[in-house]
Amino acid sequence: MSTREIDEEHGALFAQQEQLPKLPVPDLESTLQKYVESLKPVLSESEYKHSAHVVAEFGQSAQAQELQRRLKARTAEPGRASWLEEWWNDLSYMGYRDP
C-alpha cells in the first residue's frame, strides 16, 4: 500500500496531504554552500580549499544546471507529493546501511 492511500485500520494519516504546499527544491547555490560548509570539520585546510574550488566549478557547470532543472521538473510531476519523498523513503528508511 502506498503511503498516500488511506488505511482504514489506522486512520487517514495523509488525508489532507494534497492541501499542504509542496516541498520546494532548494536553490543550487545554497545547497552547494551548505555542502562546502559541512566539509570544514573533516578536511584539512588545503583539502577544504581544493574541495571548495571544485564545488564552485561544478556549480557553474551545465551539468549542475541540468540536474537542478530535473529536480524542479520532478516537483511538477503529476501525483508526486514531493521531489524527495521516494528517495527519502527508499534510501533513508529502507536502504541497507553497513556500520
Side-chain angles (χ1 to χ4, degrees), residues 86-98:
E86 183 181 352
W87 295 326
W88 183 261
N89 289 340
D90 291 349
L91 300 174
S92 294
Y93 291 115
M94 305 303 287
Y96 178 74
R97 290 182 240 170
D98 235 349

Side-chain angles (χ1 to χ4, degrees), residues 50-84:
H50 174 71
S51 295
H53 176 72
V54 169
V55 169
E57 281 185 349
F58 172 75
Q60 300 301 314
S61 72
Q63 184 181 29
Q65 304 309 312
E66 175 63 16
L67 291 171
Q68 186 73 3
R69 185 197 65 73
R70 288 183 186 186
L71 281 178
K72 289 181 178 182
R74 184 177 170 91
T75 297
E77 290 175 359
R80 186 173 297 283
S82 165
W83 62 272
L84 181 60

Side-chain angles (χ1 to χ4, degrees), residues 13-69:
L13 178 62
F14 293 104
Q16 301 301 315
Q17 186 74 22
E18 298 302 318
Q19 276 56 43
L20 296 174
K22 290 191 172 196
L23 180 67
V25 175
D27 65 89
L28 181 59
E29 185 178 314
S30 70
T31 300
L32 296 177
Q33 181 181 357
K34 288 176 185 177
Y35 173 68
V36 168
E37 285 298 313
S38 75
L39 297 174
K40 266 187 178 176
V42 295
L43 298 179
S44 69
E45 187 175 337
S46 64
E47 291 170 327
Y48 176 78
K49 285 180 180 179
H50 174 71
S51 295
H53 176 72
V54 169
V55 169
E57 281 185 349
F58 172 75
Q60 300 301 314
S61 72
Q63 184 181 29
Q65 304 309 312
E66 175 63 16
L67 291 171
Q68 186 73 3
R69 185 197 65 73

